[in-house]
Every structure is written in C-alpha cells, then in structure tokens.
Amino acid sequence: RQATALTRAQITALSPSQMGFSSAQLLALSAAQFASFDPEDIAVLTTTQIRGVTAQALAALESSQLSALSATQIAALNVTQLRGLSAADMTALTATQLGAMTGTQIGGLAIPQIRALSATDDLVGWTERKKEKDAEAVKHKGAFDGMEITRKDAEAMILAARVEAGW
C-alpha cells in the first residue's frame, strides 16, 4: 500500500522494522500521519528518510518526538525543515541536538527561533563544575560549538534578535 493510504492507527501499529518508508513516501505523509509515529520510530529513521519529511510534518511533532531525533538526524535537516519549528520546539531540543546544527542551519533560523535560544549557554556551551573535591568539570556543547563565535558574539546576536523582535 502507498504510505498516504495508511490510517493513523495503521501507522501507529507499525514497528520500526516495518517502517521502511522511502523519502518520497515520507514526503507524501500528512503532518497528522507523521505525528502519529512513536519517538522510537522517529529515532530509527535514516538521514535520507528524515530529509524526506516535510517542514509541516516535522513541526507537528511533540517534544518527546523531537527529542528522539539524533544529532545526525538534526544535522541532516534542511533550513526549510528547521524554520518550520516553533520557538517552543527550539527550546525542546537538547544541547547535543543544537550542537549538531551546521552554520548554514543556524544562519537560516528565524528571529523568534534564535530568541528562544535566549540563554547564551544554549549557543556557546557551558562548563558544569562538580561540588565534589576531585570531580572533573564537565563541558557541555552549545549550538555554536566548534565555530568561531565567541560568547560576546552570541550575546550580541541574542540582543539584536530581541531588538528586532521588539523586546
């Protein structure tokens, strides 16, 4: 059967191994059909399959489904798919997911999406210091990790986005 002919109940009943949808079939799914996938089903989609998901279908996902996306899947998304996410969706992404975004992806975000990443730490990362005497500090990556963007640059971007948004 063609993917578009499947009902929400039929899609929900599919196991990850049965979800061998092609990119074209995923593109043909409605947002409601795609949103019926369990987080585990979304987590096993290949990068090729993820590229076949429409921006509307991606935007229809709930936080638990978005958080199931791997860093590799996030990196495979195109700017149009990412721009379909709401500001609330952006805050649901983990530091690992944000860190997987490319410069092109980040550059393509809308102002409300950047504003949602209001904490500079979300953008440039932070260091967590443990209270235990001999514990090592843990460095958490930010969305701009590995890029030539300083904390000061990130703060300026956030401020500019806020000003443009009328804050």
Side-chain angles (χ1 to χ4, degrees):
R1 286 179 81 172
Q2 291 194 338
T4 55
L6 296 174
T7 66
R8 185 180 183 110
Q10 289 170 319
I11 290 172
T12 303
L14 292 173
S15 69
S17 63
Q18 294 170 315
M19 293 186 59
F21 291 130
S22 69
S23 294
Q25 289 171 316
L26 284 169
L27 192 58
L29 290 176
S30 71
Q33 288 172 316
F34 187 70
S36 68
F37 286 13
D38 288 328
E40 301 83 35
D41 299 331
I42 291 169
V44 298
L45 293 175
T46 66
T47 55
T48 302
Q49 289 172 315
I50 265 307
R51 287 184 193 112
V53 176
T54 65
Q56 295 81 10
L58 197 63
L61 296 179
E62 294 178 8
S63 297
S64 63
Q65 294 165 306
L66 284 173
S67 65
L69 290 169
S70 70
T72 304
Q73 290 170 315
I74 292 287
L77 297 174
N78 64 45
V79 172
T80 303
Q81 289 170 309
L82 286 171
R83 285 191 69 117
L85 297 177
S86 70
D89 292 335
M90 294 303 293
T91 62
L93 296 177
T94 66
T96 301
Q97 290 171 313
L98 291 171
M101 293 174 73
T102 67
T104 301
Q105 290 171 316
I106 293 167
L109 295 177
I111 289 171
Q113 292 172 310
I114 292 173
R115 193 177 68 216
L117 303 173
S118 60
T120 306
D121 290 344
D122 289 336
L123 299 175
V124 295
W126 71 97
T127 302
E128 180 180 355
R129 305 205 189 300
K130 303 289 183 177
K131 292 184 180 190
E132 294 81 32
K133 186 177 179 180
D134 296 327
E136 288 188 36
V138 177
K139 170 76 172 137
H140 297 275
K141 292 182 178 184
F144 295 158
D145 199 61
M147 296 181 209
E148 296 294 322
I149 297 175
T150 66
R151 180 169 292 277
K152 187 174 181 177
D153 293 338
E155 289 169 354
M157 290 173 69
I158 292 168
L159 182 59
R162 286 179 177 169
V163 167
E164 191 168 325
W167 277 31

Short mmCIF file of all heavy atoms in Angstrom, two decimals, residues 83-110:
data_model
loop_
_atom_site.label_atom_id
_atom_site.label_comp_id
_atom_site.label_asym_id
_atom_site.label_seq_id
_atom_site.Cartn_x
_atom_site.Cartn_y
_atom_site.Cartn_z
N ARG A 83 13.11 25.85 9.86
CA ARG A 83 12.31 27.07 10.00
C ARG A 83 10.85 26.76 10.28
O ARG A 83 10.11 27.62 10.76
CB ARG A 83 12.45 27.95 8.77
CG ARG A 83 13.79 28.66 8.75
CD ARG A 83 13.84 29.72 7.70
NE ARG A 83 12.98 30.84 8.02
CZ ARG A 83 13.42 32.06 8.23
NH1 ARG A 83 14.70 32.32 8.20
NH2 ARG A 83 12.57 33.04 8.47
N GLY A 84 10.43 25.53 10.01
CA GLY A 84 9.06 25.12 10.33
C GLY A 84 8.83 24.87 11.81
O GLY A 84 7.70 24.80 12.27
N LEU A 85 9.92 24.74 12.57
CA LEU A 85 9.80 24.50 14.01
C LEU A 85 9.45 25.81 14.71
O LEU A 85 9.93 26.88 14.34
CB LEU A 85 11.10 23.94 14.58
CG LEU A 85 11.54 22.58 14.04
CD1 LEU A 85 12.88 22.18 14.65
CD2 LEU A 85 10.50 21.52 14.33
N SER A 86 8.65 25.72 15.73
CA SER A 86 8.30 26.91 16.51
C SER A 86 9.41 27.25 17.49
O SER A 86 10.34 26.45 17.71
CB SER A 86 7.00 26.66 17.28
OG SER A 86 7.24 25.71 18.32
N ALA A 87 9.29 28.42 18.10
CA ALA A 87 10.25 28.81 19.13
C ALA A 87 10.20 27.82 20.28
O ALA A 87 11.23 27.45 20.84
CB ALA A 87 9.95 30.23 19.61
N ALA A 88 9.00 27.34 20.62
CA ALA A 88 8.86 26.34 21.70
C ALA A 88 9.56 25.04 21.32
O ALA A 88 10.18 24.39 22.17
CB ALA A 88 7.39 26.08 22.00
N ASP A 89 9.46 24.66 20.04
CA ASP A 89 10.16 23.46 19.58
C ASP A 89 11.67 23.62 19.75
O ASP A 89 12.36 22.67 20.13
CB ASP A 89 9.86 23.18 18.10
CG ASP A 89 8.43 22.76 17.84
OD1 ASP A 89 7.77 22.24 18.76
OD2 ASP A 89 7.96 22.97 16.70
N MET A 90 12.18 24.81 19.48
CA MET A 90 13.61 25.05 19.60
C MET A 90 14.08 24.86 21.03
O MET A 90 15.15 24.33 21.27
CB MET A 90 13.97 26.46 19.12
CG MET A 90 13.73 26.69 17.63
SD MET A 90 14.61 25.55 16.56
CE MET A 90 16.30 26.02 16.85
N THR A 91 13.27 25.28 21.99
CA THR A 91 13.66 25.13 23.39
C THR A 91 13.59 23.68 23.84
O THR A 91 14.21 23.31 24.82
CB THR A 91 12.80 26.00 24.33
OG1 THR A 91 11.43 25.60 24.24
CG2 THR A 91 12.93 27.48 23.99
N ALA A 92 12.85 22.84 23.09
CA ALA A 92 12.75 21.42 23.43
C ALA A 92 13.97 20.63 22.96
O ALA A 92 14.20 19.52 23.43
CB ALA A 92 11.48 20.82 22.83
N LEU A 93 14.74 21.20 22.05
CA LEU A 93 15.92 20.49 21.55
C LEU A 93 17.00 20.47 22.63
O LEU A 93 17.17 21.43 23.37
CB LEU A 93 16.45 21.17 20.28
CG LEU A 93 15.51 21.15 19.07
CD1 LEU A 93 16.14 21.92 17.92
CD2 LEU A 93 15.15 19.75 18.66
N THR A 94 17.73 19.38 22.68
CA THR A 94 18.80 19.24 23.67
C THR A 94 20.06 19.96 23.19
O THR A 94 20.18 20.31 22.01
CB THR A 94 19.15 17.75 23.88
OG1 THR A 94 19.72 17.24 22.66
CG2 THR A 94 17.92 16.93 24.27
N ALA A 95 20.99 20.16 24.10
CA ALA A 95 22.26 20.79 23.75
C ALA A 95 22.99 19.98 22.69
O ALA A 95 23.61 20.54 21.78
CB ALA A 95 23.12 20.96 25.00
N THR A 96 22.89 18.66 22.76
CA THR A 96 23.53 17.79 21.76
C THR A 96 22.90 18.02 20.39
O THR A 96 23.60 18.10 19.39
CB THR A 96 23.41 16.31 22.17
OG1 THR A 96 24.02 16.14 23.45
CG2 THR A 96 24.06 15.40 21.15
N GLN A 97 21.57 18.12 20.36
CA GLN A 97 20.90 18.36 19.08
C GLN A 97 21.26 19.73 18.53
O GLN A 97 21.55 19.86 17.34
CB GLN A 97 19.38 18.25 19.26
CG GLN A 97 18.90 16.84 19.51
CD GLN A 97 17.43 16.79 19.89
OE1 GLN A 97 16.96 17.56 20.72
NE2 GLN A 97 16.70 15.89 19.26
N LEU A 98 21.25 20.74 19.38
CA LEU A 98 21.61 22.09 18.94
C LEU A 98 23.06 22.13 18.46
O LEU A 98 23.38 22.77 17.46
CB LEU A 98 21.39 23.10 20.06
CG LEU A 98 19.94 23.36 20.44
CD1 LEU A 98 19.87 24.20 21.71
CD2 LEU A 98 19.18 24.01 19.31
N GLY A 99 23.92 21.40 19.16
CA GLY A 99 25.33 21.36 18.78
C GLY A 99 25.57 20.69 17.45
O GLY A 99 26.61 20.91 16.81
N ALA A 100 24.63 19.88 17.00
CA ALA A 100 24.77 19.18 15.72
C ALA A 100 24.39 20.06 14.54
O ALA A 100 24.67 19.71 13.39
CB ALA A 100 23.90 17.92 15.72
N MET A 101 23.76 21.20 14.82
CA MET A 101 23.32 22.06 13.73
C MET A 101 24.53 22.72 13.07
O MET A 101 25.48 23.11 13.72
CB MET A 101 22.36 23.13 14.26
CG MET A 101 21.05 22.53 14.73
SD MET A 101 19.97 23.73 15.53
CE MET A 101 19.44 24.66 14.12
N THR A 102 24.46 22.81 11.75
CA THR A 102 25.54 23.43 10.98
C THR A 102 25.38 24.94 10.98
O THR A 102 24.32 25.48 11.33
CB THR A 102 25.52 22.93 9.53
OG1 THR A 102 24.32 23.42 8.90
CG2 THR A 102 25.59 21.42 9.44
N GLY A 103 26.43 25.63 10.57
CA GLY A 103 26.36 27.09 10.45
C GLY A 103 25.26 27.53 9.51
O GLY A 103 24.56 28.51 9.76
N THR A 104 25.08 26.81 8.41
CA THR A 104 24.02 27.14 7.46
C THR A 104 22.65 26.99 8.11
O THR A 104 21.77 27.83 7.92
CB THR A 104 24.11 26.22 6.22
OG1 THR A 104 25.39 26.41 5.62
CG2 THR A 104 23.02 26.51 5.22
N GLN A 105 22.47 25.92 8.88
CA GLN A 105 21.20 25.72 9.57
C GLN A 105 20.94 26.84 10.56
O GLN A 105 19.84 27.40 10.61
CB GLN A 105 21.18 24.37 10.29
CG GLN A 105 21.12 23.17 9.37
CD GLN A 105 21.32 21.87 10.14
OE1 GLN A 105 22.18 21.75 10.99
NE2 GLN A 105 20.49 20.89 9.81
N ILE A 106 21.93 27.17 11.36
CA ILE A 106 21.78 28.22 12.37
C ILE A 106 21.52 29.56 11.71
O ILE A 106 20.65 30.32 12.12
CB ILE A 106 22.99 28.26 13.31
CG1 ILE A 106 23.03 26.97 14.14
CG2 ILE A 106 22.96 29.48 14.22
CD1 ILE A 106 24.32 26.73 14.86
N GLY A 107 22.26 29.83 10.64
CA GLY A 107 22.06 31.08 9.91
C GLY A 107 20.68 31.21 9.30
O GLY A 107 20.19 32.31 9.07
N GLY A 108 20.03 30.09 9.05
CA GLY A 108 18.70 30.10 8.45
C GLY A 108 17.56 30.19 9.44
O GLY A 108 16.39 30.27 9.05
N LEU A 109 17.86 30.17 10.73
CA LEU A 109 16.80 30.23 11.73
C LEU A 109 16.13 31.60 11.73
O LEU A 109 16.76 32.62 11.45
CB LEU A 109 17.36 29.94 13.14
CG LEU A 109 17.90 28.54 13.38
CD1 LEU A 109 18.48 28.45 14.79
CD2 LEU A 109 16.82 27.49 13.19
N ALA A 110 14.86 31.61 12.05
CA ALA A 110 14.11 32.86 12.15
C ALA A 110 14.43 33.53 13.49
O ALA A 110 14.86 32.87 14.44
CB ALA A 110 12.62 32.57 12.04
#
